[in-house]
């Protein structure tokens, strides 16, 4: 079986940095992916980590530690438009998601 | 442009009726998925298919049925056996097993009236 745990809500100030954690238990580990979903919209892919370490894509970075079964998404220079839900996912078969973290960016 | 299309965007159903949600992709992806999302909740897997003419139940398959007669199409039928069908339904596709990136349709919001 597979399970991914992440905090349900996070609030951060515009311009700040926020970290969204994800711990997982999966069989046949293929890495960790992250998705963003705005209210009423479709999830969109943000990043993927196959190996340990930090992957950077603009303001967003994602980290993975396979030995700790842990990863996180780091958002820098927060903007109001970053207010959304963020999901970690185990790209196994089938594709399974965590319950999501709702990020609220406040002024 | 390649993509994945769900229709309709909004759907209303009377209690006791079956309804079919459409999902079409032209990305040449082998794997397709259906998820259900309730307000403030995550994505729960209903069914998935890795290849034409084959599909597997997800965590909440009861009251739903699917078919995969063509690679590009994966329709979901919400049957009258589904006791609480009002939700946001998302279809996704990916290249295949061990997928690193899935592509989602824009979703169908189903309301039972």
């Amino acid at each position: 079986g597979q399970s991914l745990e992440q905090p349900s809500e996070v609030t951060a100030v515009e311009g700040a940095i926020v970290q969204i954690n994800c711990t997982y238990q999966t069989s046949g580990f293929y890495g960790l992916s992250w998705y963003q979903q705005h209210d009423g919209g479709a999830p969109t892919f943000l990043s993927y980590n196959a190996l340990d370490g930090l992957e950077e894509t603009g303001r967003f970075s994602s980290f993975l530690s396979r030995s700790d079964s842990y990863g996180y998404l780091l958002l820098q220079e927060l903007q109001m438009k970053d207010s959304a839900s963020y999901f970690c996912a185990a790209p196994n078969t089938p594709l399974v998601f965590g319950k999501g973290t709702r990020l609220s960016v406040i002024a | 442009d390649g993509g994945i299309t769900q229709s309709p965007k909004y759907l209303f159903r009377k209690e006791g009726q079956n309804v079919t949600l459409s999902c079409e992709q032209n990305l040449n992806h082998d794997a397709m998925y259906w998820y259900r999302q309730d307000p403030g909740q995550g994505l729960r897997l209903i069914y998935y298919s890795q290849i034409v003419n084959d599909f597997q139940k997800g965590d909440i398959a009861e009251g739903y049925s699917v078919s995969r007669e063509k690679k590009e199409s994966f329709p979901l039928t919400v049957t009258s056996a589904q006791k609480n069908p009002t939700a946001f339904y998302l279809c996704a596709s990916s290249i295949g097993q061990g997928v690193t990136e899935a592509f989602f349709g824009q979703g169908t919001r189903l309301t039972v009236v």
Side-chain angles (χ1 to χ4, degrees):
Chain A
Q2 302 172 84
S3 68
L4 302 101
E5 298 293 327
Q6 47 182 133
S8 59
E9 295 183 4
V10 174
T11 300
V13 177
E14 191 175 17
I17 299 172
V18 71
Q19 179 175 312
I20 298 174
N21 299 321
C22 175
T23 57
Y24 60 84
Q25 288 184 318
T26 64
S27 56
F29 183 68
Y30 290 91
L32 199 66
S33 297
W34 289 91
Y35 291 78
Q36 178 192 59
Q37 184 185 29
H38 287 98
D39 286 347
T44 56
F45 174 81
L46 289 177
S47 67
Y48 168 69
N49 293 70
L51 302 174
D52 291 353
L54 192 67
E55 295 281 342
E56 298 183 56
T57 308
R59 294 188 297 114
F60 294 3
S61 302
S62 56
F63 172 83
L64 177 65
S65 169
R66 289 175 294 172
S67 61
D68 296 322
S69 297
Y70 164 75
Y72 65 73
L73 181 68
L74 191 72
L75 294 81
Q76 303 181 71
E77 301 173 15
L78 280 173
Q79 302 176 7
M80 300 300 286
K81 67 178 181 180
D82 296 330
S83 292
S85 292
Y86 294 84
F87 296 89
C88 57
N92 294 12
T93 297
L95 181 60
V96 175
F97 290 81
K99 292 186 176 181
T101 299
R102 186 171 184 85
L103 171 64
S104 297
V105 179
I106 59 176
Chain B
D1 289 337
I4 182 166
T5 302
Q6 289 185 242
S7 62
K9 188 172 182 178
Y10 299 95
L11 189 57
F12 296 88
R13 188 195 91 174
K14 293 183 179 180
E15 284 192 31
Q17 286 183 338
N18 293 354
V19 64
T20 297
L21 282 60
S22 171
C23 180
E24 303 275 335
Q25 55 97 0
N26 60 3
L27 300 167
N28 200 31
H29 285 171
D30 286 318
M32 297 187 75
Y33 312 82
W34 274 104
Y35 296 91
R36 170 180 171 143
Q37 188 172 37
D38 294 286
Q41 301 297 310
L43 304 170
R44 292 188 289 169
L45 183 65
I46 304 172
Y47 269 98
Y48 66 101
S49 168
Q50 297 180 69
I51 196 169
V52 174
N53 292 322
D54 185 54
F55 48 83
Q56 305 295 327
K57 292 182 179 180
D59 298 323
I60 57 167
E62 185 174 353
Y64 300 97
S65 66
V66 294
S67 63
R68 187 85 187 275
E69 297 177 359
K70 299 185 296 182
K71 186 175 185 177
E72 55 271 21
S73 179
F74 192 41
L76 173 74
T77 296
V78 184
T79 75
S80 57
Q82 170 50 237
K83 297 306 178 186
N84 185 23
T86 295
F88 188 48
Y89 291 88
L90 286 158
C91 179
S93 71
S94 65
I95 292 174
Q97 186 173 354
V99 58
T100 61
E101 179 177 0
F103 295 81
F104 282 82
Q106 289 303 305
T108 292
R109 190 168 299 280
L110 173 64
T111 303
V112 174
V113 297

